[in-house]
Amino acid sequence: MASTPEGLFLQSGTAYQELDQESYIHVISRDMAAALSDAGAACRPVNLLDPEDVRRIAAAIVSPPDFLLTLNLMPLGFLLNGRHYADLLSCKVFCLCLDSPIRLADLFAPGRFERLHDFYFGVLEDSHRGLLEEHGIAPDRIFPFPHGGPPVDETAPAFFDRTVDIMFSGGIGTAEAPGAFFDRLGIIDPRPRAALGDAAENTLAGAGDAVHCLHEANRAHGLDADAVADPAAVLEEIDAWTRTVRRHRLFATLKDLEIHFYGNFDDSFKRAQPNGVFHEPVSYRRVTELSKNAKITVNDTINLMESALFRFYYALADGCLMATETNPFIAREFEDGVHALHLSAQRGDNAEKITACLNDPGRARTIVEAAQAHYRAHHTWAARMPPLLRCIRA
């Protein structure tokens, strides 16, 4: 490998079928590539919609770069003569996980990748390692790679000058009742239903991630891991269901506030937010522009325990005060009232905490400045690069 490694960052469509320069995939991959280049490994994003980039992608098969970066090994449908593009390159291939491996079962489908066990995996949390090892990924192919964010935008408007008090971006679907959820999955036996119900509630209460909570619930009910058909699929469904329920419960405590919502929202959720201002979905790049005019951004944990999603960091970099659900990581790194406002679906004073900061902009500005100082020192994409760079250079 050359003293200065050179690689490509393969961009792709998102879960929302975006494939343009406005999607979150393109925003974060561009920022990660820039941080990696600054750290000593030249990295160029390549876009499947750009003809010049397509030529680079094709040339890499014959003259491979030192490494290929992907997010979740996307796009999964990128096949040439029946073989996945990542299998055609002789260089190191990296899967930077955007989510828990609970959500990545498609990567491990039989016949999907020929070189799967040669790939490197960057995980958000240490507990995610075991999920990959269960799929046969060697421990030395797994490294820590939590989400991060861009440099602080020093030109963003001051807290006092922003015209939107509170915003949230992201979709919220229907919060199915437990019975309907289990019926949809075809789980009829009362014992597995009871175990899954306990696992869901414990996940929502922050007792652990869905994997840990389901394991503990099965043990408590005297059930094996295979008490339901296709346990991996059920686990993914539990994770998705609890994420939706989590958001419904959190925002139920904020229903008296005027919050600007951007994304797709179920009608039942809209009815439960009588003061909400609902906007059409916008691209993630547009979200980063809107957040520069918002005083406070609401954030949820999506069941993560020892990390935060990139949208938390991007809003913080844009100068928002973060009103956030907590997990052990957020509680430790972003202290309540010092770096953020901590929210909980079990608390009755969430709205009052937010209103108090809106009514005291001097205090709010102090919290934002402290949070940005801590973020700048510890949680940017630049801070995340050393483990990735070590694997590239290994």
Side-chain angles (χ1 to χ4, degrees), residues 66-113:
D66 294 310
F67 61 90
L68 176 75
L69 299 185
T70 75
L71 297 172
N72 291 357
L73 285 172
M74 294 189 293
L76 291 182
F78 190 11
L79 303 177
L80 299 174
N81 295 325
R83 297 180 64 193
H84 194 281
Y85 178 74
D87 280 327
L88 297 172
L89 272 63
S90 58
C91 64
K92 291 182 176 180
V93 174
F94 290 83
C95 171
L96 304 179
C97 295
L98 283 174
D99 213 328
S100 166
I102 296 171
R103 315 281 287 186
L104 305 181
D106 283 353
L107 301 185
F108 306 99
R112 173 76 76 182
F113 292 99

Side-chain angles (χ1 to χ4, degrees), residues 309-378:
L309 210 60
F310 63 84
R311 63 170 180 253
F312 175 91
Y313 299 116
Y314 275 75
L316 182 55
D318 287 334
C320 292
L321 190 158
M322 301 306 297
T324 180
E325 266 194 322
T326 60
N327 57 25
F329 168 80
I330 292 175
R332 183 173 65 248
E333 292 293 313
F334 295 92
E335 186 179 346
D336 188 24
V338 177
H339 306 102
L341 300 180
H342 290 186
L343 308 179
S344 168
Q346 287 75 46
R347 293 181 60 149
D349 64 344
N350 290 333
E352 288 80 0
K353 290 178 72 171
I354 290 175
T355 300
C357 261
L358 290 172
N359 291 336
D360 189 351
R363 175 175 176 250
R365 182 181 64 181
T366 298
I367 293 173
V368 171
E369 289 174 350
Q372 287 188 327
H374 183 67
Y375 162 74
R376 189 185 287 111
H378 301 287

